[in-house]
Amino acid sequence: MTDLVKYSTAGDVAVVTIDNPPVNALSPGVPDGIREGVERAATDPEIRTVVVIGAGRTFIAGADIREFGKITSGEKPRDATSLQRLLQAAEDCPKPVVMAVHGTAFGGGLEVAQAGHYRVALAAAQVGQPEVKLGIIPGAAGTQRLPRLAGPAKAAEMCAFGDPVSAKDALTAGIIDRIIDGDLLEGAIAFAREVAGQPVPKTRERNARLAEPVDFEALRAAARKRLRGQEAPVAAIDAVELATKLPFEEGVRREQEIFQKCLFSTQSRAMIHAFFGERTVAKIPGIGKDVTPLPVSRAAVIGAGTMGAGIAMVYANAGIPVLLKETSQEALDRGVANIRRVYSGSVAKGKSTQDKMDRTLALITPTLSFDGFEQADIITEAVFENMALKKEIFRTLDGIAKPDAILATNTSTLDIDEIASVTSRPESVIGNHFFSPANVMRLLELVRGKATGARVIASCMELGKRLRKVAVLAGNCYGFIGNRMFAPYIAQALMLAEDGTPFEEVDQALYDWGMAMGPLAVCDLAGLDVNYRIRQEYKHLEKPGVRYPEVETVLASRGHYGQKTGRGWYVYEGTRAVGPNPEMREIIASYGRVHRQADREEIVERTVYALVNEGAGLLEEGIAIRSVDIDIVYLNGYGFPVWRGGPMHYADTVGLARVAARVKDFGWECAPLLERLAAEGGTFGKWVR
Ligand code: T1G
């Protein structure tokens, strides 16, 4: 036995305990350790049954994802024999093997559990096959055993979408045999004694459910729609369908072929990059675990507009009581009504319950005064983007907030240092830039000013996880990371339209490439008046001799602000675009710039490489710590396709020499870092400041 897996006995029951923190991944040594334990129990005459259980917070959470990079880079061959030998030993053990699940039995963890004869779980446990979120499919016979336990329809859905399944639903589906109340090990041992001596049900021989009717084509269509552009979901459905047509061993062989193809795909590399990236961004150089975050148990938000109300919901959804302040009863009532409307919508859709809605709403305290603000651990200002107003608020907060309170601003463009300068505690001031709708979008940009303290940063990082956000730390510049890069991206889209590429084609090209929305549709959603106002405010910063798009100015000057006025680039009925705005041809023609149409490849290159070039600048300036931070911003806040890994990872995939050459073809100033890495054959991913 390795120290990763321990063997013990409880009377006539052998207990095999996996102890590979933090998530009991199937790292090298773990499968062999479990197999050795099962084999030892099988040959011990004193033992009648076996329980396999995880130490710490979870059962096995899957293969060790860190191993995949070593395999795809050629550093080591993929060796699945240990895992396959474990599965066979568990299934062929002559004595009942009971898998005891708590936490998350995901991926290979659920596949190991499926090879057992029985599965019991705590009510709070979850099971799932989330491999598609890594661009792969289950690779340890999960697509062959799961349909035998849960039926092909449920198995195909789980393998295609990767969503977790509660223990209760897993019991209903036939994936687990019993939910254990109280101590899991005790319950599992008791269950094991109940089945001791009975014939062992081998999952691979349980074929009855394979005959259940399934519309695989409908599932593939649903997967293509919901996970547009991704290859693994359909591949997973194909593998499950094979389970209904082939003998088990042949099905496993075909699954392996499909798995291997997915593992070596560009999409999988990108999605594994994103998986680890979401965890890397929480690691801030110079702020180690010795910096203890401030406890946050009470919050306050100033401003009950779209953002303020959304932020208040974020806190309430995380179970944190929050004050929500406005300056007038009418504005406050409007904010609270919007919050109610959102929660009621969730209840109506069955995504929540009235009881949960009432309990969450009770955590939000609307107010017109600052009473109670002196107890708040974090106060977030979310008022109109006006520096004078924000300064006035921070002056007030400086006088009432408790000494170690975090003073956060939700500004999306204004200077954090200037805001902090009106307080006596600039070290407590930080940007908490949420993305609209704040209660939906996962991205939270934390913006550090010159004086922002390490403890405040560490506290907001930890709080971000509690708020179920992906928090990324940015330096203080115009637009921070996301919007700073989005400006040239949108500018290129506008200029392509001004030069004669049909604007619907610009949007369609990027949508088909994988973006959640076309850039011009995004402008309509955000509001053309927003861009127009920001353009006017920062016109003095525009570089002489550099071309800036003008077409949006005309649209806004005609009062066409996009969705909010029913007309922008597109004409809207409510929030639905019903067609292009017919005025656009005349407006664009009026510029006299129409002279060429770009093809789809150029549309994507001009817009996406504009992101990359600006991102390289952010890295060089230290606004973004690593290129993966930029990728995580774009994957979680701007609808960048996860299967392309983010703009910087995508550029690495294309090759920086190609990207730099095209940047120069377009006549842009190539960011020095991009130029340098392209010349050296380097990548953003390997670049370290
Ligand atoms: N392999 C390696 N490291 C992992 C890991 C894994 N499977 N899962 C988590 N970690 C690391 C993570 O990087 C972080 O590290 C720490 O553990 C805590 O994770 C054979 C081929 C289980 C729900 O996709 O969904 O099995 O940052 O911060 O929020 O067919 O981790 O501390 O250094 O996320 O409590 C399938 C992926 C793999 C599960 C826990 N399994 N993990 O969430 O903690 S493919 C998965 C998760 C496979 C089989 C196929 C979550 C979690 P660090 P965390 P958490």
Side-chain angles (χ1 to χ4, degrees):
M1 302 301 288
T2 64
D3 60 0
L4 295 169
V5 180
K6 296 177 177 64
Y7 184 90
S8 60
T9 58
D12 56 1
V13 179
V15 179
V16 178
T17 305
I18 304 120
D19 191 7
N20 181 26
V23 296
N24 285 327
L26 291 165
S27 309
V30 172
D32 288 340
I34 304 170
R35 176 179 49 75
E36 286 160 11
V38 170
E39 288 169 348
R40 178 174 168 183
T43 53
D44 181 339
E46 301 302 311
I47 296 299
R48 301 185 66 211
T49 57
V50 190
V51 167
V52 178
I53 193 167
R57 59 181 170 145
T58 181
F59 187 69
I60 303 163
D64 187 333
I65 304 171
R66 292 167 302 183
E67 295 296 302
F68 294 145
K70 298 173 191 168
I71 296 166
T72 55
S73 65
E75 184 185 327
K76 63 189 285 189
R78 179 178 177 235
D79 176 8
T81 47
S82 293
L83 184 50
Q84 283 156 1
R85 288 179 64 200
L86 159 60
L87 300 175
Q88 183 143 18
E91 199 163 53
D92 291 344
C93 180
K95 302 171 184 175
V97 176
V98 178
M99 299 287 179
V101 171
H102 72 298
T104 51
F106 283 174
L110 180 54
E111 290 171 297
V112 167
Q114 291 165 33
H117 304 126
Y118 300 95
R119 286 146 296 278
V120 299
L122 291 182
Q126 291 184 314
V127 299
Q129 303 285 180
E131 289 88 341
V132 287
K133 296 179 180 179
L134 301 171
I136 53 180
I137 71 166
T143 63
Q144 308 301 306
R145 285 195 174 91
L146 191 56
R148 286 172 163 81
L149 292 175
K154 182 69 176 175
E157 180 198 331
M158 287 177 65
C159 294
F161 298 110
D163 297 329
V165 173
S166 68
K168 178 170 171 289
D169 290 347
L171 182 69
T172 306
I175 299 169
I176 67 169
D177 301 285
R178 183 174 298 174
I179 287 180
I180 301 294
D181 294 326
D183 182 80
L184 177 61
L185 181 57
E186 282 176 20
I189 288 170
F191 182 92
R193 289 195 172 116
E194 284 178 37
V195 298
Q198 294 177 17
V200 293
K202 295 182 180 180
T203 306
R204 68 170 184 268
E205 295 171 357
R206 296 171 59 172
N207 299 319
R209 297 199 66 172
L210 294 178
E212 291 174 5
V214 195
D215 186 343
F216 287 109
E217 267 323 300
L219 274 169
R220 277 187 271 266
R224 287 192 187 98
K225 183 165 188 260
R226 182 174 145 193
L227 300 169
R228 185 166 58 91
Q230 296 183 37
E231 296 155 356
V234 171
I237 295 169
D238 294 346
V240 172
E241 184 172 18
L242 288 171
T244 66
K245 298 180 185 317
L246 300 172
F248 179 79
E249 285 72 14
E250 178 59 13
V252 169
R253 196 184 63 72
R254 296 287 295 278
E255 175 198 82
Q256 288 305 304
E257 289 172 358
I258 297 169
F259 172 85
Q260 197 76 357
K261 182 167 177 279
C262 290
L263 180 62
F264 281 84
S265 69
T266 305
Q267 290 198 0
S268 180
R269 282 186 180 85
M271 294 170 84
I272 290 173
H273 164 77
F275 173 84
F276 285 119
E278 275 194 23
R279 291 146 181 89
T280 301
V281 298
K283 297 170 176 114
I284 309 301
I287 302 182
K289 295 218 184 296
D290 58 311
V291 179
T292 47
L294 294 158
V296 173
S297 56
R298 306 185 71 80
V301 174
I302 300 174
T306 305
M307 291 310 292
I311 294 167
M313 290 172 68
V314 170
Y315 278 99
N317 294 344
I320 299 172
V322 54
L323 296 170
L324 178 61
K325 182 185 178 299
E326 255 298 351
T327 49
S328 74
Q329 192 61 50
E330 188 237 345
L332 189 58
D333 292 348
R334 193 165 51 245
V336 172
N338 282 339
I339 291 171
R340 280 189 174 283
R341 183 176 45 74
V342 172
Y343 283 135
S344 302
S346 298
V347 173
K349 290 175 197 155
K351 291 182 180 174
S352 182
T353 61
Q354 189 59 49
D355 174 54
K356 188 166 184 322
M357 170 178 164
D358 296 341
R359 281 185 287 109
T360 307
L361 266 175
L363 291 171
I364 299 173
T365 304
T367 177
L368 295 175
S369 83
F370 281 110
D371 293 352
F373 273 61
E374 71 286 351
Q375 293 171 19
D377 301 304
I378 182 167
I379 302 170
T380 304
E381 164 275 313
V383 301
F384 191 67
E385 278 294 83
N386 174 289
M387 181 57 88
L389 175 58
K390 292 182 189 289
K391 283 181 172 179
E392 181 195 330
I393 287 170
F394 274 78
R395 279 191 199 94
T396 305
L397 293 179
D398 196 28
I400 56 174
K402 65 182 185 179
D404 60 355
I406 296 168
L407 305 184
T409 170
N410 174 57
T411 185
S412 57
T413 59
L414 300 177
D415 183 334
I416 306 294
D417 291 329
E418 189 175 345
I419 293 171
S421 68
V422 301
T423 71
S424 61
R425 50 176 119 177
E427 68 283 357
S428 297
V429 178
I430 187 170
N432 275 200
H433 178 212
F434 290 85
F435 284 71
S436 185
N439 56 306
V440 173
M441 296 299 281
R442 292 187 69 214
L443 179 61
L444 171 58
E445 269 186 325
L446 302 180
V447 187
R448 68 190 311 172
K450 287 191 184 68
T452 304
R455 199 171 184 209
V456 167
I457 294 169
S459 306
C460 287
M461 265 297 162
E462 181 185 76
L463 180 59
K465 194 160 182 177
R466 282 177 65 193
L467 299 178
R468 290 191 283 280
K469 298 293 178 187
V470 178
V472 180
L473 184 64
N476 180 33
C477 71
Y478 174 73
F480 315 136
I481 295 174
N483 287 341
R484 160 92 178 260
M485 291 168 61
F486 210 56
Y489 170 79
I490 293 294
Q492 287 304 319
L494 293 172
M495 288 189 278
L496 279 162
E498 284 182 356
D499 289 354
T501 301
F503 69 86
E504 314 95 293
E505 179 61 12
V506 173
D507 272 1
Q508 195 61 49
L510 282 154
Y511 178 82
D512 292 348
W513 184 78
M515 296 300 287
M517 285 175 77
L520 305 176
V522 171
C523 292
D524 274 355
L525 176 66
L528 305 183
D529 52 326
V530 174
N531 288 354
Y532 178 63
R533 191 173 55 249
I534 290 172
R535 184 81 196 280
Q536 302 316 315
E537 187 154 343
Y538 288 92
K539 206 160 182 64
H540 61 288
L541 295 178
E542 292 182 354
K543 296 172 189 163
V546 173
R547 175 186 169 192
Y548 292 89
E550 296 303 336
V551 65
E552 255 194 355
T553 309
V554 175
L555 260 175
S557 64
R558 292 188 182 186
H560 296 328
Y561 296 161
Q563 275 189 26
K564 63 175 80 169
T565 60
R567 187 175 283 246
W569 287 95
Y570 300 92
V571 177
Y572 294 87
E573 282 173 6
T575 58
R576 193 168 63 86
V578 292
N581 177 352
E583 299 168 79
M584 287 319 298
R585 306 249 179 275
E586 161 249 322
I587 291 174
I588 288 172
S590 69
Y591 278 99
R593 285 184 184 279
V594 174
H595 64 287
R596 66 186 291 272
Q597 286 199 18
D599 63 16
R600 290 200 149 202
E601 183 183 16
E602 184 182 345
I603 291 169
V604 170
E605 288 183 327
R606 277 186 179 274
T607 47
V608 176
Y609 293 172
L611 288 178
V612 174
N613 197 41
E614 196 68 28
L618 288 175
L619 288 171
E620 206 137 35
E621 295 164 36
I623 299 296
I625 298 170
R626 301 154 286 237
S627 63
V628 71
D629 294 60
I630 294 174
D631 290 333
I632 296 305
V633 164
Y634 264 75
L635 295 177
N636 291 281
Y638 292 81
F640 199 95
V642 66
W643 46 274
R644 293 192 189 273
M648 311 313 273
H649 177 87
Y650 173 69
D652 285 343
T653 307
V654 169
L656 299 189
R658 160 81 181 168
V659 175
R662 294 298 282 151
V663 165
K664 290 172 186 169
D665 289 346
F666 298 145
W668 305 344
E669 187 183 334
C670 188
L673 177 62
L674 170 57
E675 179 124 46
R676 201 160 60 245
L677 289 174
E680 295 163 0
T683 63
F684 289 120
K686 289 194 168 55
W687 176 80
V688 180
R689 182 177 313 295

